[in-house]
Amino acid sequence: MAYVYAIVRDPNNPKSLTKIQEWIKTPSDASDYELCKFFDYATSLSNAFSSCIPAINVETLRKNSYIRQQRMEPLGMERTIMDLRSKHDVVAISHRFGGFTHFDWNFGENISFHIYTNFGYGSMSDFNSTFKYKDVILAPYSYYVKYKNSDYASVTRCTYCYELEYSEWDKVMSDSLTFYNAVVNQDEHYVFFWLKSQLEEMVSTLENFLTCSNYYIYDEWMNRPIGRISSQTYINGNDFWIIKSQKIANSLEFVDNIKILPIQISSEQYITRLINLCIQFVPKLEDRIAEQQKIVDDIQERYNKSCSDYDYQLYKRIYDKYYYKRFWYSKSKFHICWFLLHMLKHKKSNYNVQEIRNHFLPLSKKIDEVKQISLVLSDAYSFRNTLSASLRTLNKRIKDFEQTKDK
């Protein structure tokens, strides 16, 4: 079995907190009644369908020694927690409760932690903590540029994410206590240095986006930015333009959050740098959109030209009219072409079989050509539209910021 981890307050000095751990002992005097009850205890923090241990009858318990032993663990943990609470002024304590669970740990007047867990729910399982200093959430701003799919909501939702292992409670307690002691001992530069380094990394990376053409960024697994990283990805070309246009365009979402940080952070300098880089990026993004529009126009012209082929136009009309009626979606294009050429023979009776065959192969190639150009055109439109959406967002956020500043 494992430990119960806790942070306790010194009765002689309310500001003094200590991390302790208590070994979970196997309860040798457990009654059948105690072991048969329902336990809100996740047998696995990460696996699905393991969020609790249901109640059973005495007969089932007595027939299976494994079930008895399995129920000793949560009962032992219950007793250990009760014992710790009876002996100490417990401020924070570990748990294995299944499902969505929220705890607020108030270490002091200005320091609190929100602990959120969702144990035993497979891919939905989670384990994170949010640090608050004077009601300000300490957000890991650097994750905005470190992780591909991170956004304002994912960055500010918590300070740290932890692995789905019970032993991680030891780290949670240590992280929380280290932060608390830094503030209590007037070592506040620890807090401010951390925040400044997070902001500096976010803003300086976005500034580098203005001139660089490639970047290494992490992929997330299940959108969890800490501890569950799949790999680092090299991105360039259009992919990088999409990333940087969206990251820069939405970076001003952080302004209100940064404004309320403690004065020691010098929030205004980071806000000024953010708005300046956004303003500088606008003409660059406009130029890239104009370039992409030319590409779109060229591909569109090629597409229109390919579609103007007489046989292909007939094929397209037949396709649109009969594709679903004749269940052609379950057949190859051969059936459609053959049907079309027979109609062509019927319409122009002077066509002989050889002439029909001569039409068949070029039409088949033309269909493939149009399909390929269509895919390229779709990608080109999608890229242009994505950049245009980022530009609209960027202009709106700059305008909103300027209006707010003038008030």
Side-chain angles (χ1 to χ4, degrees):
M1 300 183 78
Y3 293 95
V4 169
Y5 301 95
I7 291 176
V8 299
R9 198 182 303 278
D10 185 341
N12 299 317
N13 182 3
K15 288 187 176 182
S16 177
L17 302 181
T18 306
K19 185 182 78 170
I20 63 173
Q21 58 187 45
E22 189 80 18
W23 181 255
I24 302 173
K25 298 177 181 178
T26 301
S28 57
D29 59 341
S31 68
D32 289 349
Y33 170 76
E34 287 180 293
L35 293 174
C36 287
K37 68 178 183 179
F38 168 85
F39 288 100
D40 186 359
Y41 179 95
T43 55
S44 167
L45 305 195
S46 58
N47 293 340
F49 310 109
S50 59
S51 61
C52 68
I53 299 179
I56 59 172
N57 56 46
V58 175
E59 290 77 13
T60 302
L61 178 73
R62 291 174 178 172
K63 288 178 181 178
N64 194 316
S65 60
Y66 172 76
I67 291 178
R68 175 179 289 274
Q69 183 58 40
Q70 183 190 46
R71 290 168 172 270
M72 288 287 190
E73 295 179 11
L75 181 59
M77 188 169 192
E78 275 188 8
R79 290 187 176 185
T80 304
I81 291 173
M82 290 175 62
D83 185 54
L84 280 171
R85 290 190 183 281
S86 67
K87 294 188 298 186
H88 302 280
D89 181 2
V90 176
V91 179
I93 200 160
S94 61
H95 74 80
R96 296 188 71 115
F97 299 144
F100 299 102
T101 307
H102 297 264
F103 284 101
D104 287 308
W105 295 346
N106 296 309
F107 280 22
E109 183 180 353
N110 296 321
I111 305 157
S112 63
F113 307 89
H114 181 77
I115 309 299
Y116 163 71
T117 62
N118 184 29
F119 295 153
Y121 274 80
S123 63
M124 296 298 294
S125 300
D126 217 345
F127 188 3
N128 62 55
S129 64
T130 302
F131 289 26
K132 289 186 178 183
Y133 176 59
K134 295 184 179 180
D135 293 326
V136 177
I137 294 175
L138 305 188
Y141 298 101
S142 67
Y143 298 161
Y144 183 61
V145 291
K146 280 183 179 178
Y147 304 101
K148 187 166 65 175
N149 297 322
S150 60
D151 54 16
Y152 174 82
S154 66
V155 169
T156 58
R157 76 184 183 97
C158 69
T159 305
Y160 291 116
C161 267
Y162 296 92
E163 293 289 343
L164 293 168
E165 299 289 342
Y166 180 76
S167 59
E168 287 286 276
W169 278 110
D170 189 24
K171 190 183 295 185
V172 176
M173 301 293 177
S174 295
D175 289 342
S176 303
L177 192 57
T178 300
F179 174 67
Y180 171 79
N181 287 332
V183 177
V184 168
N185 297 328
Q186 298 183 344
D187 187 21
E188 294 189 357
H189 72 273
Y190 162 84
V191 181
F192 301 137
F193 176 79
W194 183 83
L195 279 172
K196 284 181 179 179
S197 65
Q198 290 291 320
L199 281 168
E200 180 62 34
E201 184 168 356
M202 180 183 80
V203 177
S204 62
T205 301
L206 290 173
E207 288 172 336
N208 288 337
F209 280 0
L210 292 175
T211 55
C212 67
S213 58
N214 54 71
Y215 186 61
Y216 281 97
I217 197 164
Y218 284 104
D219 286 321
E220 299 91 341
W221 179 66
M222 293 302 295
N223 292 324
R224 295 188 178 106
I226 304 301
R228 303 169 177 84
I229 302 165
S230 58
S231 63
Q232 193 179 44
T233 302
Y234 175 77
I235 54 173
N236 59 8
N238 291 352
D239 290 338
F240 181 58
W241 266 100
I242 290 173
I243 290 290
K244 76 176 180 179
S245 67
Q246 292 177 337
K247 293 288 187 185
I248 293 176
N250 292 302
S251 64
L252 294 182
E253 280 191 279
F254 289 93
V255 167
D256 289 340
N257 182 275
I258 296 172
K259 275 182 181 178
I260 62 175
L261 292 175
I263 191 171
Q264 292 90 338
I265 305 301
S266 303
S267 303
E268 284 303 318
Q269 68 163 309
Y270 295 107
I271 294 173
T272 300
R273 287 170 64 186
L274 276 178
I275 190 66
N276 285 342
L277 78 88
C278 286
I279 292 172
Q280 292 175 50
F281 186 57
V282 168
K284 295 178 181 292
L285 185 55
E286 289 174 336
D287 290 345
R288 186 65 187 86
I289 292 172
E291 290 175 13
Q292 185 61 23
Q293 184 59 54
K294 291 179 181 178
I295 294 173
V296 168
D297 292 341
D298 289 343
I299 300 172
Q300 184 69 60
E301 185 177 347
R302 285 170 50 206
Y303 178 79
N304 294 341
K305 184 177 180 181
S306 292
C307 291
S308 65
D309 179 82
Y310 177 75
D311 284 352
Y312 180 81
Q313 288 184 340
L314 287 176
Y315 161 84
K316 189 66 171 66
R317 273 182 272 173
I318 295 299
Y319 179 97
D320 293 341
K321 186 174 182 179
Y322 294 109
Y323 185 72
Y324 290 103
K325 285 183 179 180
R326 292 179 174 268
F327 306 103
W328 282 338
Y329 48 82
S330 62
K331 300 177 182 179
S332 68
K333 66 183 178 184
F334 171 84
H335 294 82
I336 311 176
C337 294
W338 192 252
F339 182 84
L340 169 61
L341 294 173
H342 274 73
M343 289 189 67
L344 192 60
K345 170 69 175 174
H346 178 74
K347 185 175 182 181
K348 296 186 176 182
S349 56
N350 60 330
Y351 272 21
N352 58 41
V353 174
Q354 186 58 46
E355 285 179 308
I356 291 177
R357 287 174 178 169
N358 291 340
H359 279 263
F360 189 90
L361 186 58
L363 175 58
S364 180
K365 289 182 178 179
K366 180 62 67 174
I367 293 169
D368 290 339
E369 177 187 296
V370 171
K371 186 179 292 184
Q372 183 60 37
I373 297 175
S374 176
L375 291 173
V376 174
L377 182 61
S378 177
D379 288 343
Y381 269 116
S382 177
F383 178 53
R384 185 207 61 184
N385 293 343
T386 299
L387 295 186
S388 297
S390 292
L391 180 61
R392 289 193 297 270
T393 299
L394 190 57
N395 284 327
K396 182 181 185 305
R397 293 197 188 284
I398 293 173
K399 181 179 179 181
D400 291 345
F401 175 82
E402 296 294 344
Q403 290 177 344
T404 303
K405 187 179 69 172
D406 293 339
K407 289 182 181 180

